[in-house]
């Protein structure tokens, strides 16, 4: 094993790690936000809104991420949507994740006891206040494990952005490996990075869950 | 004395799909009095109660709160504007069998929420008012607890405080003690008795015949979506004429003899 390559390619790899984390973070946040919007619109929208959103969900879930990304990055310019690799990648991740997030939120909303909503209505709260003050906070708590789980899945999807030349960690590792023939060292480091990354997220996730559900658990 | 509402229910019909759940119900609920709704399971007690604040929409007839139609602009007409409906609901308190406290808020926050969102109060004033309301139901020392850290009886008293803090002119109760362990029923009934003594108009769906007998001013008996009888408790509970009421009370007594 030749470790000297890390002194030469270290900065590139570090930049790659950073970009991967940024892509994951933004992809998760934007994807979850879009998913939340979809879930709320599905709950309150009319029949046609619900149908349109359901179709969107099925279309996105039914196609591979790579295909979506190529459509966006290589197909986009043909309809005037010219994006740089990074924005295209982030937009792709957001779109790719949104239906999964939407489904998570949708089932979490369904799990909110209707009585809690009725209590809000009976007291004269607006629907908007009910969503903000009751549906979202109560729903989020039950959605949390699934949200964390899917955000972990998304960490690993970020490597696909390398194919449209986003210089994230997969891209940088590939670059180093082909330049120096250090396939074993390079990809081993990459695997280690993802394992550690996921480990950190799931630990933080568990801590967050405990914090949030602390006072919700029935004392026995 | 609170300003108390009256309720006038006229020829109300309610369907769940094909199922006729309420049949031509006529009932007058006088201001400042306690009306108990009793009857077998599935007879339509909850449905009728929930029509009063339009949590359940009725299909024909009228429900008038202080002479004002709730839910529709005119009898059989268009739905009333959401804003008007919310305004009417904000003067009608409701207490549910399952308490329905918001689990992510403390007792005090549960009570303050409506004051802030509906009455437009500032948070400090709302919290102060919530504290007063909780003190009145004997929970001064539990205000910071989340519902999961309260007994069923305490949770139901918070729910009552949440409704009462809004200064309602009418209170609806749907089996408020049915989800409670027997030893916790008394504390909730006591709070309700105090409310009744204060002159609140109350409509109470209940299986507590003791409460109906001693606190109610009138008792209405429903069966299979029909209002079979309405009378003062001494008559309807002690010497009912209708055989359906007789048989209901007989079953009740048999079940409650130890
Ligand atoms: N959302 C609904 N959809 C269909 N049927 C319903 C619905 N809600 C109630 N019903 C039916 O309407 C009838 C009256 O129900 P309701 O809940 O008013 O009875 P209840 O007298 O309150 O009974 P209980 O004592 O068990 O609470 C029942 O037969 C019930 O099955
Ligand atoms: Mg009922």
């Amino acid at each position: 094993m030749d470790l000297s390559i890390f002194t030469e390619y270290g900065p590139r790899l570090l930049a790659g790690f950073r970009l991967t984390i940024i892509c994951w973070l933004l992809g998760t946040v934007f994807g979850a936000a879009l998913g939340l919007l979809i879930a709320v619109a599905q709950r309150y929208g009319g029949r046609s809104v619900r149908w349109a959103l359901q179709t969107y969900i099925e279309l996105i879930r039914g196609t591979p991420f790579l295909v979506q990304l190529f459509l966006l990055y290589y197909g986009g310019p043909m309809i005037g949507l010219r994006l740089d690799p990074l924005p295209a990648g982030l937009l792709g991740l957001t779109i790719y994740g949104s239906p999964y997030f939407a489904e998570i939120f949708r089932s979490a909303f369904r799990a909110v006891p209707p009585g809690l909503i009725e209590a809000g209505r009976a007291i004269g709260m607006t629907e908007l206040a009910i969503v903000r003050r009751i549906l979202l906070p109560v729903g989020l708590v039950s959605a949390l494990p699934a949200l964390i789980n899917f955000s972990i899945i998304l960490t690993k999807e970020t490597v696909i952005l390398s194919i449209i030349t986003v210089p994230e960690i997969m891209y940088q590792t590939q670059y180093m490996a082909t330049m120096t023939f250090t396939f074993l060292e390079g990809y081993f480091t990459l695997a280690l990075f993802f394992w550690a990354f996921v480990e950190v997220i799931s630990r933080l996730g568990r801590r967050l869950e405990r914090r949030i559900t602390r006072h919700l658990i029935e004392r026995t | 004395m609170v300003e108390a509402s009256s309720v006038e229910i006229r020829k109300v019909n309610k369907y769940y799909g094909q199922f006729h759940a309420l049949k031509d119900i006529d009932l007058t609920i006088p201001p400042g009095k306690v009306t108990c709704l009793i009857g077998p399971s599935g007879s339509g007690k909850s449905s009728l109660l929930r029509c009063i604040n339009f949590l359940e929409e009725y299909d024909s007839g009228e429900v008038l709160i202080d002479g004002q139609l709730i839910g529709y602009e005119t009898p059989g007409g268009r739905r009333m504007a959401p804003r008007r409906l919310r305004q009417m609901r904000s003067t009608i308190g409701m207490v549910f069998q399952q308490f329905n406290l918001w689990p992510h808020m403390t007792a005090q926050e549960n009570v303050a929420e409506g004051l802030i969102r509906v009455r437009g109060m500032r948070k400090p004033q709302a919290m102060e008012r919530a504290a007063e309301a909780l003190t009145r139901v004997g929970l001064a020392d539990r205000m910071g607890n989340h519902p999961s850290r309260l007994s069923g009886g305490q949770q139901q008293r918070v729910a009552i405080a949440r409704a009462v803090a809004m200064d309602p002119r009418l209170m609806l109760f749907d089996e408020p003690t049915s989800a409670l362990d027997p030893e916790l029923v008394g504390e909730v009934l006591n709070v309700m008795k105090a409310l009744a003594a204060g002159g609140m108009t109350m409509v109470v769906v209940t299986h507590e015949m003791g409460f109906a007998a001693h606190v109610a001013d009138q008792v209405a008996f429903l069966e299979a979506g029909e209002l079979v009888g309405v009378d003062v408790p001494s008559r309807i509970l002690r010497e009912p004429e209708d055989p359906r009421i007789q048989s209901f009370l007989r079953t009740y007594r048999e079940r409650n003899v130890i």
Side-chain angles (χ1 to χ4, degrees), chain A:
Chain A
M1 234 185 162
D2 178 12
L3 292 178
S4 66
I5 48 148
F6 288 111
T7 31
E8 194 186 339
Y9 286 90
R12 270 178 167 275
L13 293 181
L14 276 181
F17 289 146
R18 238 194 29 231
L19 192 57
T20 291
I21 293 172
I22 290 171
C23 285
W24 167 76
L25 198 65
L26 293 181
T28 300
V29 169
F30 293 152
L34 183 55
L36 182 61
L37 228 65
I38 292 172
V40 172
Q42 274 186 318
R43 193 178 165 96
Y44 287 94
R47 189 191 292 265
S48 52
V49 171
R50 280 206 306 270
W51 179 85
L53 292 174
Q54 198 54 41
T55 309
Y56 168 84
I57 287 178
E58 275 156 28
L59 276 177
I60 305 294
R61 278 203 308 195
T63 47
F65 182 36
L66 187 58
V67 175
Q68 294 166 14
L69 209 54
F70 275 17
L71 252 175
L72 193 64
Y73 187 66
Y74 297 114
M78 303 194 174
I79 53 163
L81 183 70
R82 216 170 296 277
L83 291 174
D84 286 337
L86 184 58
L90 287 177
L91 183 59
L93 266 179
T94 302
I95 292 173
Y96 168 74
S98 62
Y100 299 95
F101 282 118
E103 290 289 299
I104 291 171
F105 284 119
R106 189 165 72 147
S107 64
F109 290 164
R110 262 206 309 261
V112 174
L116 302 187
I117 309 288
E118 284 186 341
R121 291 205 179 114
I123 224 167
M125 284 168 78
T126 62
E127 285 303 312
L128 186 65
I130 289 171
V131 170
R132 280 188 40 225
R133 302 288 304 167
I134 304 168
L135 190 70
L136 278 185
V138 178
L140 266 172
V141 170
S142 58
L144 202 57
L147 288 176
I148 292 166
N149 190 43
F150 187 69
S151 78
I152 285 175
I153 291 175
L154 270 187
T155 58
K156 289 166 279 180
E157 300 293 347
T158 57
V159 298
I160 293 184
L161 301 193
S162 65
I163 301 173
I164 58 164
T165 71
V166 176
E168 44 69 78
I169 189 58
M170 182 72 192
Y171 180 91
Q172 301 288 16
T173 307
Q174 248 170 338
Y175 182 82
M176 177 183 85
T178 24
M179 296 301 274
T180 59
F181 300 100
T182 49
F183 295 102
L184 183 64
E185 298 89 329
Y187 291 120
F188 187 71
T189 313
L190 185 59
L192 270 182
F193 163 72
F194 273 102
W195 168 77
F197 187 25
V198 166
E199 194 59 27
V200 168
I201 295 171
S202 53
R203 265 166 209 240
L204 287 178
R206 272 200 296 274
R207 192 182 298 178
L208 187 67
E209 249 175 81
R210 266 202 305 277
R211 233 186 114 99
I212 283 183
T213 55
R214 200 180 31 195
H215 51 256
L216 298 177
I217 293 155
E218 206 78 41
R219 198 183 38 184
T220 46

